[in-house]
């Protein structure tokens, strides 16, 4: 006969599852950060411009999409660093550090590089248009206006040594532009211009090395980050505690903190993937060297308009650790065969009726068991 048991559970400041059963715990201490975070030497793909005509902020895809005719949503953006060169889109470029910039304008000056970095950190898309408008005391602005003003501000430093008269599309664009330049001037005065290292964001997590069991605190998972705080999450979702089992704020984990999955009351084996996330991306400020045509190698003498990588306000740096735990259940199943007339184990010489009773305990929900008799 066959006995089957199953169950189912539903489960910005101013300026500035239950998884498959396991017989032993398997731990993956740490997985690398997502592969879509570019570093120097990473190929990227430049899509269409997201801003006004001729105003830059190109869509940047990392990694290069498998189908560039339908690339989906970009994960980065790129502003132009060179006003006078022809721009290229729908093309593969290479991310490099600013020291490998191929252009010959003022962006070769480390001070100008820092001025441009300040603009990236304090404009769109690092800030939303609402945040940017609030910082500047402007009632409202559109995405197009924010992009236009930021692009003009970048060119102001990479192409000129003093301010120039740009052909602004509206007074609001000019107001945003002026506020950005004033912000750079204050940063110079206050010695707060950033460097590339200021955009480094680290987030790593290590999982437990010992075997883990259900009905306990599974861990520790140790978080390391250079940000003030990071957040942790798990798939499937579980509650996080400290070593004593007290709940923690999963959105305010600090460097070196150890966290645990609260599996008290859970009897079955399972697995989870724990992810740490820190706001920001080290990709901010990388330069994109763009060839004149697909497949060419860009050089100082022959390259298209260079871009500088910008990251949206929603960008984060992540890493994950996976863990499995064993069950605390000890499944048992068996049968008892008796003579139905007197419940003993002897059948009369002339026959009779037998009763076979199946008994079981601690069977695993969702698992099929077969009893043969």
């Amino acid at each position: 006969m066959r006995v089957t048991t199953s169950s189912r559970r539903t489960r910005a400041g101013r300026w500035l599852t239950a998884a498959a059963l396991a017989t032993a715990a398997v731990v993956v201490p740490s997985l690398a950060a997502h592969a879509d975070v570019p570093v120097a030497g990473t190929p990227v793909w430049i899509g269409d411009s997201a801003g006004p005509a001729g105003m830059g902020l190109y869509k940047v895809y990392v990694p290069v999409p498998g189908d560039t005719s339908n690339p989906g949503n970009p994960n980065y953006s790129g502003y132009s660093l060179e006003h006078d060169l022809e721009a290229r889109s729908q093309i593969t470029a290479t991310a490099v550090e600013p020291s490998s910039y191929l252009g010959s304008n003022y962006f070769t000056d480390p001070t100008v590089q820092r001025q441009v970095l300040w603009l990236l950190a304090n404009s769109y898309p690092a800030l939303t248009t609402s945040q940017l408008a609030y910082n500047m005391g402007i009632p409202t602005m559109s995405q197009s206006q924010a992009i236009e003003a930021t692009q003009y501000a970048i060119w102001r430093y990479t192409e000129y040594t003093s301010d120039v008269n740009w052909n602004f599309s509206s007074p609001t664009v000019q107001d945003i532009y002026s506020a950005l330049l004033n912000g750079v001037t204050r940063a110079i005065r206050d010695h707060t211009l950033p460097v590339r290292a200021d955009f480094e964001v680290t987030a790593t997590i290590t999982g437990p090395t010992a075997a883990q069991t259900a009905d306990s605190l599974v861990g520790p998972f140790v978080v390391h980050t250079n940000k003030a705080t990071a957040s942790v999450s798990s798939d499937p979702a579980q509650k996080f505690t400290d070593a004593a089992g007290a709940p923690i704020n999963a959105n305010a984990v600090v460097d070196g903190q150890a966290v645990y999955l609260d599996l008290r009351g859970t009897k079955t084996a399972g697995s989870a993937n724990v992810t740490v996330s820190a706001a920001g991306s080290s990709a901010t400020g990388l330069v994109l060297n763009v060839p004149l045509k697909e497949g060419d190698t860009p050089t100082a003498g022959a390259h298209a308009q260079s871009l500088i990588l910008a990251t949206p306000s929603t960008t984060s740096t992540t890493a994950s650790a996976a863990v499995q735990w064993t069950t605390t259940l000890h499944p048992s199943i068996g049968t008892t065969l008796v003579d139905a007339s007197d419940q003993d184990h002897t059948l009369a010489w002339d026959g009779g009726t037998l009763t076979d009773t199946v008994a079981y305990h601690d069977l695993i929900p969702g698992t099929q068991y077969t009893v043969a008799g």
Side-chain angles (χ1 to χ4, degrees):
M1 64 185 67
R2 176 170 295 175
V3 177
T4 301
T5 66
S6 65
S7 69
R8 181 176 181 179
R9 294 182 180 178
T10 59
R11 9 181 315 131
R14 294 177 74 89
W15 284 123
L16 217 190
T17 36
L21 296 175
T23 57
V26 179
V27 179
V28 181
S30 183
L31 299 178
H34 289 179
D36 58 1
V37 179
V39 297
T42 301
V44 306
W45 195 72
I46 301 173
D48 297 326
S49 172
M55 295 310 301
L57 198 63
Y58 288 85
K59 300 174 183 178
V60 179
Y61 299 80
V62 185
V64 177
D67 180 6
T68 55
S69 64
N70 185 26
N73 295 321
N75 37 12
Y76 294 97
S77 301
Y79 279 108
S80 167
L81 290 172
E82 297 170 287
H83 180 272
D84 296 333
L85 289 187
E86 187 174 354
R88 290 285 189 273
S89 62
Q90 310 288 319
I91 196 168
T92 303
T94 304
V96 298
E97 291 292 337
S99 57
S100 298
Y101 172 59
L102 295 175
S104 58
N105 59 10
Y106 293 111
F107 188 72
T108 57
D109 183 343
T111 299
V112 174
Q113 293 174 9
R114 297 178 66 186
Q115 292 168 334
V116 173
L117 287 175
W118 189 95
L119 292 171
L120 294 181
N122 293 279
S123 63
Y124 182 84
L127 303 179
T128 65
T129 54
S130 296
Q131 291 169 331
L132 190 56
Y134 173 77
N135 289 349
M136 294 178 170
I138 296 174
T140 185
M141 70 177 68
S142 68
Q143 175 182 297
S144 178
Q145 290 170 331
I147 293 172
E148 180 183 348
T150 303
Q151 182 62 85
Y152 277 137
I154 291 173
W155 283 334
R156 149 66 182 90
Y157 293 105
T158 62
E159 297 289 355
Y160 302 97
T161 57
S162 61
D163 201 7
V164 295
N165 292 321
W166 299 103
N167 185 25
F168 298 111
S169 64
S170 71
T172 297
V173 173
Q174 186 168 5
D175 289 344
I176 302 169
Y177 169 85
S178 297
L180 288 172
L181 266 56
N182 289 336
V184 172
T185 300
R186 286 193 297 271
I188 294 172
R189 180 196 64 200
D190 298 338
H191 306 288
T192 57
L193 285 177
V195 295
R196 265 281 293 144
D198 294 332
F199 292 89
E200 180 183 1
V201 180
T202 61
T204 61
I205 186 168
T206 56
T209 56
Q212 304 292 302
T213 59
D215 200 21
S216 66
L217 300 179
V218 169
F221 297 88
V222 181
V223 170
H224 288 288
T225 180
N226 64 348
K227 303 291 283 187
T229 61
S231 63
V232 289
S233 61
S234 68
D235 182 19
Q238 305 284 358
K239 293 180 180 179
F240 286 92
T241 74
D242 61 17
I248 65 163
N249 184 350
N251 294 316
V253 178
V254 299
D255 181 53
Q257 185 172 348
V259 302
Y260 294 76
L261 295 178
D262 190 355
L263 295 178
R264 292 171 293 187
T266 300
K267 303 296 184 181
T268 57
S271 65
N273 198 54
V274 179
T275 298
V276 59
S277 178
S281 171
S282 301
T284 301
L286 286 175
V287 171
L288 303 185
N289 286 340
V290 185
L292 291 172
K293 64 180 182 179
E294 188 69 58
D296 282 0
T297 299
T299 65
H303 66 275
Q305 198 175 81
S306 302
L307 305 180
I308 189 164
L309 210 60
T311 56
S313 56
T314 55
T315 301
S316 61
T317 299
T318 64
S320 299
V323 65
Q324 293 183 358
W325 55 89
T326 57
T327 181
T328 57
L329 299 176
H330 300 286
S332 175
I333 188 169
T335 70
T336 302
L337 185 66
V338 298
D339 182 348
S341 64
D342 56 12
Q343 304 301 305
D344 68 7
H345 299 286
T346 304
L347 189 65
W349 68 271
D350 56 350
T353 300
L354 298 176
T355 301
D356 197 7
T357 303
V358 177
Y360 58 88
H361 64 83
D362 286 350
L363 299 191
I364 309 298
T367 302
Q368 181 171 280
Y369 298 84
T370 301
V371 179

